[in-house]
Amino acid sequence: MSKPRLFIAGNWKMNKTSSEAVAAIAELRKDLPNKPGLEIAVCPSFLALGAALEAVKGSVIQVGSQNVHFAESGAFTGEVSCGQLKDAGISLAIIGHSERRQFFGETDDTVNKRTHAALKAGIRPITCIGETLAERQGGQTEAVLERQLSLGLAGLTPEQMEKTVLAYEPVWAIGTGVTASPQQAQEAHAFIRAKLTQLFGAATAGKVLIQYGGSVKPDNVAELMSQKDIDGALVGGASLKAAEFATLLRNAACVLS
Ligand code: PEP
């Protein structure tokens, strides 16, 4: 099925120095598909955000952070506030990535607080959800998604929800080379859309962009993106090499109407 819009974001995780980020963006810019409806972002580490913003000037590429704290300021060593991000020119942030949940103690509550703080500051959140392998094998996928959505998005107005991007990332597919099949991904996305309808109403649910993440590659992106409820991708490994990411973007763009 063809789509009116797709949002593909590259999560560079703890990779690339500032100069490497600039070089990757320069290479990517040479090879970008120019298709209306295709939104593109890269999310480098905090230290490379300024250099990346300079490097994307005059292109359609957006720059996002990989996290943001919920407090305005204070004793939160190692964290970065929404105000600091906005001051640096950043209006997009990944929130609650499974690696943050797994290694840095993020919970549905902190994800909720970070999402609220971002929206209040005018930062578009990409809020991540997804089940682990044990949860999927235990038949818990829907219960986990339901909990992450209810708690993680608690208190958002429908208007705020429309501005929030969701990323469904089954943890077992992240960085493993194992991709959810297009059918498995669509099933989870349809469940998420139905839950959003319950929580925020059908009009809002229909407008929310839901990205899929988990071993998205140039050769599987088109089939994943052509699923009814998949509106984009959050891409880790395949976004690191500019040439590979450009190919992935071009292949995704073929799905656009
Ligand atoms: C991610 O980190 O969000 C991700 C989906 O990684 P990968 O594409 O490498 O699985």
Side-chain angles (χ1 to χ4, degrees), residues 11 13 97 99 169 173-176 213-217 234-238:
N11 173 13
K13 310 193 183 187
H97 189 277
E99 287 149 18
E169 300 206 299
I174 297 180
T176 58
S215 300
V216 178
K217 306 283 178 214
L234 186 54
V235 184

